[in-house]
Amino acid sequence: MKKETLQNIVYSPLYLWFKLHAILPMRILYILSDILYFPLYYIVHYRRKLVSENLRKAFPDKTDKELKQLEQKFYHHFCDYIVETIKLMHISDEEMRRRMKFEQVEIIDRLFAENRSIIILLGHFGNWEWVPSVTLWTRTPDVMFAQIYRPLKNKWFDRFFLKLRSRFGSVCIAKQETLRAILQMKRSGKPSITGFMSDQTPSPTNIHHWARFLSQDSPVLTGFEKIARKTDFAVLYFDVEIVKRGYYKTTIREIALRPNELPEFEITDRYTAIMEKTILRNPWAWLWTHKRWKYKHEDFPGT
């Protein structure tokens, strides 16, 4: 039996379970989130050691008590992220517009009116799975919305997340196909908007620049800047804020309208700085479960 067929058989009950939960109203899902928190945090200990290490590195001046409170708030929010993401399977456009609002959308519409294409930068903050609902807020027809994603090893979950992420009409582009796909969009002559999640650690072969980020000398992704310079796409930032539980506000901010007019790595540095400000507003709402600082600058001479 093929591995993919076996996965379909094994995970079909899980899909049904997700579907049934997605029908529930958000207030019930948040009760389930509160219940999920206890086994995830106290029994499974899901990546707790890593989260604790990351928080201590990022906030060296905080007390143990403050760090523990941040850690617990992060896991509460992480459980909210899970149930909110499942809700994408059964949520109306009207409810999504109430829960994920966008401000300064006229920046996007103005660039599209000028036949300019756009690169959007954002991070793993708030609920990034809801951000593709920006398509509900723009007025420009016949525009391609795309998002770059890293394919999951588990093919069933990969297909599941692809379906969720295309809920509002955007196209998912595998990371390894990024440049080819964006150049195809450019050749089409139609404006496009492509989202990059660029707040995680690059692979060792892709470490070309370092920046001060959350109290650490950090390697940062630079691929989006290279693509922006190659295509002359405008670069914007989605600045996500937590309004209250289950409600977010995203303000669209300019980073670079003409990328080639800026010095090398200036776009990357601007993004890193503004991403840090986003995180510092509500540190518990960032994804702390990734090993963000596993490389040291001295091990990469010349970068």
Side-chain angles (χ1 to χ4, degrees):
M1 183 180 294
K2 290 184 179 180
K3 184 177 181 180
E4 187 172 331
T5 303
L6 181 61
Q7 285 180 346
N8 288 337
I9 295 172
V10 171
Y11 291 114
S12 290
L14 183 62
Y15 181 84
L16 179 60
W17 185 84
F18 285 161
K19 194 73 174 177
L20 291 172
H21 279 69
I23 297 171
L24 298 173
M26 288 301 305
R27 66 180 182 276
I28 303 299
L29 288 176
Y30 285 129
I31 293 174
L32 294 177
S33 172
D34 291 338
I35 294 171
L36 176 62
Y37 164 77
F38 287 96
L40 189 71
Y41 185 74
Y42 289 106
I43 300 174
V44 179
H45 288 196
Y46 176 68
R47 298 194 178 186
R48 270 184 61 178
K49 183 178 180 182
L50 175 58
V51 170
S52 178
E53 289 175 355
N54 281 341
L55 287 170
R56 190 169 296 280
K57 288 178 180 178
F59 304 106
D61 297 330
K62 289 189 179 295
T63 65
D64 289 346
K65 181 179 180 181
E66 289 171 328
L67 290 171
K68 179 60 68 176
Q69 289 173 341
L70 259 182
E71 180 182 310
Q72 291 173 340
K73 286 192 73 173
F74 160 71
Y75 278 97
H76 275 292
H77 176 74
F78 184 68
C79 291
D80 283 357
Y81 159 79
I82 292 172
V83 300
E84 288 174 359
T85 300
I86 291 172
K87 186 63 178 176
L88 281 173
M89 300 176 72
H90 192 276
I91 190 169
S92 67
D93 290 354
E94 291 74 19
E95 183 174 4
M96 182 54 71
R97 279 179 61 91
R98 285 191 295 105
R99 291 182 172 275
M100 175 64 83
K101 294 186 176 182
F102 288 83
E103 295 189 349
Q104 304 296 330
V105 183
E106 58 270 17
I107 297 173
I108 291 177
D109 290 332
R110 186 188 74 236
L111 288 166
F112 284 162
E114 297 170 0
N115 204 37
R116 296 287 311 281
S117 288
I118 301 166
I119 284 175
I120 291 290
L121 303 179
L122 65 154
H124 293 81
F125 184 88
N127 192 323
W128 52 94
E129 305 293 355
W130 283 10
V131 169
S133 64
V134 66
T135 56
L136 302 175
W137 292 78
T138 59
R139 303 183 184 89
T140 308
D142 198 26
V143 170
M144 175 176 283
F145 287 79
Q147 51 189 305
I148 308 304
Y149 81 104
R150 181 177 294 178
L152 300 174
K153 292 181 180 179
N154 185 302
K155 297 300 182 184
W156 188 91
F157 274 102
D158 190 55
R159 291 194 302 274
F160 174 74
F161 274 98
L162 283 177
K163 186 175 181 179
L164 289 185
R165 290 167 180 169
S166 61
R167 161 68 177 80
F168 299 102
S170 59
V171 175
C172 294
I173 299 172
K175 184 180 177 181
Q176 62 271 23
E177 300 292 327
T178 301
L179 182 58
R180 182 185 64 81
I182 288 180
L183 290 178
Q184 282 183 344
M185 287 189 283
K186 181 176 174 63
R187 285 193 291 269
S188 74
K190 297 178 180 179
S192 63
I193 181 168
T194 307
F196 286 74
M197 306 279 288
S198 300
D199 57 340
Q200 298 299 321
T201 305
S203 63
T205 55
N206 288 317
I207 294 177
H208 307 294
H209 185 60
W210 296 71
R212 197 68 180 170
F213 178 65
L214 294 174
S215 306
Q216 304 295 307
D217 200 14
S218 308
V220 289
L221 290 163
T222 58
F224 63 84
E225 177 170 335
K226 294 175 182 177
I227 291 173
R229 292 180 182 279
K230 190 177 185 67
T231 58
D232 195 36
F233 286 4
V235 183
L236 305 179
Y237 175 69
F238 277 4
D239 190 2
V240 179
E241 295 180 61
I242 314 295
V243 178
K244 60 181 180 179
R245 192 179 198 184
Y247 290 84
Y248 304 90
K249 180 182 74 173
T250 299
T251 304
I252 300 169
R253 305 191 186 280
E254 297 178 4
I255 287 186
L257 297 186
R258 294 294 178 182
N260 289 303
E261 295 178 1
L262 297 174
E264 187 179 18
F265 299 128
E266 175 67 20
I267 299 171
T268 300
D269 288 341
R270 288 184 182 184
Y271 163 69
T272 303
I274 196 171
M275 185 70 236
E276 182 178 71
K277 290 180 180 178
T278 297
I279 294 168
L280 292 178
R281 278 199 302 262
N282 297 111
W284 44 268
W286 193 49
L287 187 64
W288 294 97
T289 53
H290 286 185
K291 197 167 185 180
R292 185 62 182 84
W293 295 289
K294 55 187 173 181
Y295 303 120
K296 295 182 179 180
H297 199 169
E298 56 265 29
D299 295 331
F300 294 83
T303 62

